[in-house]
Amino acid sequence: MRPDLDPEQLDRYSRHIIMDDVGPAGQAALLDTDVLVVGAGGLGSPALQYLAAAGIGRLGIVDDDTVERSNLQRQVIHADSDVGRPKVESARDFVADLNPDVTVDTHELRFSADNADLVDDYDIVVDASDNFATRFLVNDACTLAGVPFSHGAVFRFEGQVTTFTGDGPCYRCLFPKAPPAGTVPDCSTAGVLGVLPGTIGCLQATEVCKLALDYGDSLAGRLLAFDAGSMSVDEVPIEPNPDCPVCGDDPAIDDITEATYEGRCEL
């Protein structure tokens, strides 16, 4: 056993430690990993819950919103008593109660081009945002910084998840432009099955743990599309786009302050 895992940690993470593919060294790697979660809502809640339980040593949480009662149907780290509180504070307290090993950095702000250099301070990023502008910004910031990130999205009974590692296609290869405004309603308009973000957020947390452990095959280069209605999963290949403005042969974006992250997220 590694001496840097104390008796309480050996007990807490025992089901990891007895796994040949994790063991004490793998658990130590998880404890040494820093993860930034952009969004503490439907996707961020299960991702934070399971990353904290797994022993990810440092979690950064970015969100500028407060808890509303309508969030509680799916945002499982917040409680009725948290209504009106900043989500980053509620999330921080949840993680502290779950696992005292985890250090939490709260960033009560909207992820923007002005603060996107936050990704430089973390090993892995979880894109748990709920709008295309932020998704493009997370992609561009992480791709330019060489920081891998897990992307997730949900809509009614459908969800999708993939991982971008920086050595393959990026989110702009998959979605060159955001759909026109008003063509894709958000959850407040279209609704979402409450358990669905849990499914997708857990898959994102799984991808993060695998990256931290350097184990298995990530979802890099492929998108999992999950349909809860038919309980089916489709896999869609993601091909690199040589004309991608971020990771293509002649990238047009080398500074995120040069791009516009509103509307259709064009250059």
Side-chain angles (χ1 to χ4, degrees):
M1 294 294 181
R2 286 174 58 108
D4 51 352
L5 295 179
D6 62 38
E8 287 189 2
Q9 291 173 324
L10 292 174
D11 186 17
R12 177 184 293 274
Y13 308 117
S14 61
R15 300 306 188 273
H16 277 171
I17 293 168
I18 62 175
M19 296 174 65
D20 291 338
D21 295 313
V22 181
Q27 186 59 55
L30 293 173
L31 288 163
D32 287 339
T33 299
D34 302 332
V35 177
L36 181 68
V37 180
V38 180
L43 293 169
S45 288
L48 286 164
Q49 182 176 18
Y50 277 95
L51 291 174
I56 293 296
R58 176 172 167 250
L59 289 171
I61 308 172
V62 178
D63 202 303
D64 68 342
D65 203 1
T66 57
V67 179
E68 299 177 6
R69 190 159 281 108
S70 62
N71 300 150
L72 305 182
Q73 162 252 18
R74 63 200 178 281
Q75 300 182 19
V76 294
I77 61 175
H78 310 297
D80 196 74
S81 59
D82 294 316
V83 171
R85 295 183 68 198
K87 287 184 179 179
V88 292
E89 293 184 6
S90 176
R92 177 200 60 206
D93 291 350
F94 179 94
V95 171
D97 287 342
L98 179 63
N99 190 348
D101 284 344
V102 181
T103 299
V104 178
D105 302 331
T106 58
H107 307 281
E108 190 180 349
L109 46 82
R110 187 172 187 83
F111 194 73
S112 69
D114 293 332
N115 56 51
D117 59 354
L118 279 171
V119 305
D120 297 336
D121 296 330
Y122 294 86
D123 301 310
I124 307 168
V125 172
V126 175
D127 173 18
S129 61
D130 62 358
N131 63 87
F132 282 100
T134 304
R135 292 167 188 159
F136 277 91
L137 178 56
V138 169
N139 173 80
D140 296 355
C142 289
T143 302
L144 293 175
V147 177
F149 72 99
S150 172
H151 160 76
V154 292
F155 178 74
R156 293 180 177 171
F157 285 86
E158 300 175 358
Q160 62 183 37
V161 61
T162 186
T163 297
F164 300 102
T165 59
D167 56 359
C170 75
Y171 184 77
R172 285 185 183 265
C173 296
L174 180 62
F175 297 110
K177 294 182 180 179
T183 59
V184 179
D186 58 22
C187 289
S188 63
T189 303
V192 62
L193 184 69
V195 299
L196 179 63
T199 304
I200 301 302
C202 284
L203 288 173
Q204 290 183 272
T206 303
E207 285 288 274
V208 169
C209 289
K210 286 164 51 187
L211 289 173
L213 293 168
D214 191 23
Y215 175 81
D217 298 322
S218 79
L219 286 171
R222 51 201 176 110
L223 176 80
L224 289 189
F226 174 64
D227 186 331
S230 61
M231 200 53 75
S232 61
V233 178
D234 292 323
E235 185 173 302
V236 180
I238 306 173
E239 299 294 338
N241 178 8
D243 297 322
C244 176
V246 178
C247 70
D249 296 336
D250 186 21
I253 298 176
D254 57 11
D255 183 341
I256 57 176
T257 62
E258 299 174 359
T260 300
Y261 296 97
E262 299 294 340
R264 292 176 61 84
C265 307
E266 297 176 289
L267 293 179

